[in-house]
Amino acid sequence: HAGAYVNGATRNQSGTNGVTVLQPGVVSYISPEGEPVYLCDEFNDGTNTWVLDARTDTWVAAGTAGAECYLAISASTGDPIFDPIWDTYDTVIEAIIALLTELDEIILGVEREVDKVICPALALLTGTYGPVFINAQGDIYIDGAPFWDCPPYDVIWP
């Protein structure tokens, strides 16, 4: 099938397969009914141009014989199939968020265990010591600013 012009981009023709090269950005394209749409990921490192080969899921030199683009819209169902780079990006971001959430829970758990030991001892030291004030819960304030919060964790932090 013939290549298309999308957003004013130029077209390179190779045999019967049309290739449209676009600057990065959002692309809107309506394909003919029943025609598959392929998505080709390409980058230039300043010396070479590379494409993501759908068969091997690896970057290969542009023009490598047999390199294939990813199917973006199925010809049989018309359903979108997502770009593997964005799928990978989303997966990595989700994993990072999950890891940070888990680390936050671990740190919070460690703080709670430390509080079980520290706070009763601090509560015994209730009083003012120069710029340091310790209340009956064991909360510590330095120059009026909160420094350590013991259960019931009611200090309002700035």
Side-chain angles (χ1 to χ4, degrees):
H1 93 285
Y5 290 95
V6 180
N7 293 350
T10 59
R11 175 181 69 182
N12 298 323
Q13 191 82 21
S14 173
T16 59
N17 296 324
V19 176
T20 302
V21 180
L22 301 172
Q23 293 299 319
V26 176
V27 175
S28 178
Y29 171 73
I30 299 173
S31 65
E33 184 74 31
E35 286 290 319
V37 175
Y38 290 87
L39 180 64
C40 302
D41 292 306
E42 175 182 298
F43 79 95
N44 185 296
D45 63 13
T47 304
N48 299 303
T49 299
W50 304 90
V51 295
L52 186 60
D53 182 6
R55 295 171 305 119
T56 61
D57 202 30
T58 59
W59 290 97
V60 297
T64 298
E68 295 178 5
C69 298
Y70 283 89
L71 182 63
I73 297 178
S74 169
S76 60
T77 65
D79 293 331
I81 300 169
F82 297 104
D83 180 357
I85 290 179
W86 288 109
D87 287 348
T88 301
Y89 172 81
D90 289 342
T91 301
V92 169
I93 293 299
E94 288 170 8
I96 290 171
I97 290 170
L99 177 63
L100 291 176
T101 301
E102 186 67 27
L103 287 174
D104 191 46
E105 290 297 319
I106 290 169
I107 291 168
L108 185 60
V110 168
E111 288 175 352
R112 298 295 190 241
E113 291 303 312
V114 168
D115 283 352
K116 288 178 184 177
V117 175
I118 295 282
C119 290
L122 290 171
L124 293 174
L125 299 172
T126 300
T128 302
Y129 308 90
V132 177
F133 169 71
I134 303 172
N135 70 15
Q137 293 175 342
D139 298 342
I140 301 174
Y141 296 83
I142 300 176
D143 286 329
F147 178 78
W148 192 272
D149 187 19
C150 287
Y153 305 113
D154 54 356
V155 170
I156 308 272
W157 295 86

